[in-house]
Amino acid sequence: MTVTNSRDQRAAYPSLKGKRVLITGGGSGIGAGLVEGFVRQGADVTFFDIAEADSRALVESLSGEPQPPVFEPCDLTDVAGAQAKIARLIEDFGAFDVLINNAANDDRHSIEEVTEAYWENRINVNLKHLFFCAQAVIPGMKAKGAGVIINMGSISWHLALEGLILYQTAKAGIEGLTRSMARDLGPDNIRSVCIVPGNVKTPRQMKWYTPEGEAEIVNAQCLKGRLVPEDIAAMALFLASDDARLVTGHEYFVDAGWR
């Protein structure tokens, strides 16, 4: 049997058409894959990022779609500014149906290098904004009677990879945040789930791995294919769709069985 992931073989979710979707960190890597995936479904996509050149190039690449994405420059560590931007977008264009908390930064660091200021920065970059972006979209979701919050976790803390102690601390916290939100928001028909990607081939990740290191990762996977952003997007599309209407409170690994 031949396995294909060509565009014409991908799943379509009619329930996503026209849905208002907000994606953080959508300008490159996994985030760009998420933006493209939801745009291809006919969703109304807005994405935040601080990387303006990459983000504008992504918008240009999707300009021929019936509903191209909208890029909003946003520093998510400025919580008040980010929440104000979300409030403006909701006031101008309507409440969001889906929030994907994707933005993060996995810079390597040792225990000895960590200062209190660096701790605060890394937690702000990798955890804090997820809660406050969710807080900003939840009232609109409650008014609509439904919503989906998808938080992006990481395989890294499950494997205890080296040089990522603060990143992994934040990513472990995201899974707890996901479950807590699922419980508190369930009565309002708002779902909260977490995707746990494995090692995804992006330009940023290729900074950290030699060809030999990349081969070691694939060898440690149960499935020997190389993960790419569209693999993560495929899971996000399902979880955001009405097909997953009773799916909440859990983590979903897309890691090719990396152990």
Side-chain angles (χ1 to χ4, degrees), residues 4-131:
T4 179
N5 65 347
S6 62
R7 183 170 297 159
D8 60 354
Q9 296 296 312
R10 296 178 199 164
Y13 297 98
S15 62
L16 292 178
K17 188 172 183 179
K19 287 290 178 71
R20 292 265 292 143
V21 179
L22 176 60
I23 300 171
T24 68
S28 62
I30 291 174
L34 293 167
V35 169
E36 179 178 354
F38 278 90
V39 166
R40 303 286 188 201
Q41 297 287 332
D44 178 2
V45 178
T46 300
F47 72 96
F48 289 169
D49 212 305
I50 57 174
E52 296 205 24
D54 287 343
S55 298
R56 298 193 189 285
L58 176 61
V59 171
E60 177 61 28
S61 73
L62 296 170
S63 61
E65 293 295 321
Q67 182 83 41
V70 173
F71 164 54
E72 289 280 346
C74 185
D75 178 358
L76 294 166
T77 64
D78 174 9
V79 168
Q83 286 200 321
K85 184 159 287 191
I86 293 171
R88 176 182 60 78
L89 289 167
I90 291 172
E91 182 179 357
D92 290 348
F93 304 107
F96 288 100
D97 300 286
V98 180
L99 166 66
I100 305 182
N101 278 317
N102 168 71
N105 185 294
D106 61 348
D107 280 350
R108 272 52 174 174
H109 51 271
S110 68
I111 291 175
E112 293 76 17
E113 291 172 321
V114 174
T115 63
E116 184 176 1
Y118 188 67
W119 168 281
E120 296 290 344
N121 176 266
R122 292 298 88 184
I123 295 301
N124 289 348
V125 168
N126 291 308
L127 177 59
K128 183 177 178 181
H129 64 83
L130 281 76
F131 174 84

Side-chain angles (χ1 to χ4, degrees), residues 157-220:
W157 78 268
H158 292 275
L159 298 177
L161 300 180
E162 293 180 348
L164 288 165
I165 190 166
L166 298 189
Y167 179 76
Q168 291 177 161
T169 297
K171 288 298 186 178
I174 287 169
E175 294 190 23
L177 176 69
T178 298
R179 293 192 177 208
S180 296
M181 288 197 300
R183 175 59 68 189
D184 288 355
L185 298 174
D188 295 295
N189 198 34
I190 297 172
R191 300 189 287 110
S192 171
V193 293
C194 180
I195 296 176
V196 181
N199 188 273
V200 181
K201 189 171 186 178
T202 66
R204 178 172 176 79
Q205 286 302 314
M206 296 312 291
K207 288 170 50 180
W208 307 118
Y209 295 102
T210 63
E212 293 77 17
E214 192 176 10
E216 287 179 10
I217 292 169
V218 173
N219 188 56

